Amino acid sequence: QVRLVESGGGSVQAGGSLRLSCLVSIDTYTGKCISWFRQAPGQERRGVASIGTGTLATYYEASVRGRASISQDNAKQTVYLQLNSLTPNDTAMYYCAADRRALRTSGGGWYCPLTPDYKYWGQGTQVTVSS
């Protein structure tokens, strides 16, 4: 049985930082794509960052590139998303997702896709940024 549990969300002021965690309980952790998505009220769920548990390749959506960092701890089967320089536009429910996915290529590298057709999802953790 696959289970993803997010934590680390909260309320912060603009300019602050948060580190989100995603504990992944899955039979075979390696060879998977683990991605973070977010969804604000009335908006579509959008990909934020992805990491390959085997390749360690990372990819970031344009709006967080340069102020987000995704990483993993294999021993703990946990994926982290560090978000810095937060703005009210970052306010959303953040979800992690896991699946075995075909990698995509960009700029000569391969990365896990940020399309929301992942098989396994967590329940989400809320991030609220006040101005």
Side-chain angles (χ1 to χ4, degrees):
Q1 185 173 353
V2 179
R3 187 176 182 218
L4 286 75
V5 179
E6 302 95 334
S7 61
S11 298
V12 297
Q13 290 191 326
S17 299
L18 281 173
R19 189 176 82 154
L20 309 181
S21 299
C22 175
L23 175 61
V24 182
S25 299
I26 193 169
D27 285 344
T28 306
Y29 179 76
T30 56
K32 299 293 191 297
C33 288
I34 311 292
S35 294
W36 284 94
F37 292 80
R38 64 185 178 185
Q39 187 169 21
Q43 297 187 19
E44 294 182 349
R45 190 170 296 189
R46 297 187 62 178
V48 177
S50 68
I51 188 166
T53 59
T55 65
L56 302 184
T58 60
Y59 185 80
Y60 300 91
E61 190 267 335
S63 69
V64 301
R65 200 168 291 153
R67 58 189 188 93
S69 177
I70 188 169
S71 61
Q72 65 167 355
D73 184 329
N74 268 348
K76 297 180 179 179
Q77 294 196 179
T78 300
V79 172
Y80 304 98
L81 180 66
Q82 177 73 38
L83 293 169
N84 303 317
S85 302
L86 288 163
T87 76
N89 288 335
D90 295 313
T91 295
M93 184 71 80
Y94 283 71
Y95 300 89
C96 64
D99 203 352
R100 181 181 293 277
R101 299 291 304 273
L103 301 182
R104 296 188 177 181
T105 184
S106 174
W110 295 87
Y111 67 95
C112 291
L114 288 177
T115 53
D117 49 342
Y118 278 67
K119 185 174 182 180
Y120 304 106
W121 292 84
Q123 294 300 307
T125 185
Q126 177 68 39
V127 172
T128 302
V129 184
S130 58
S131 58

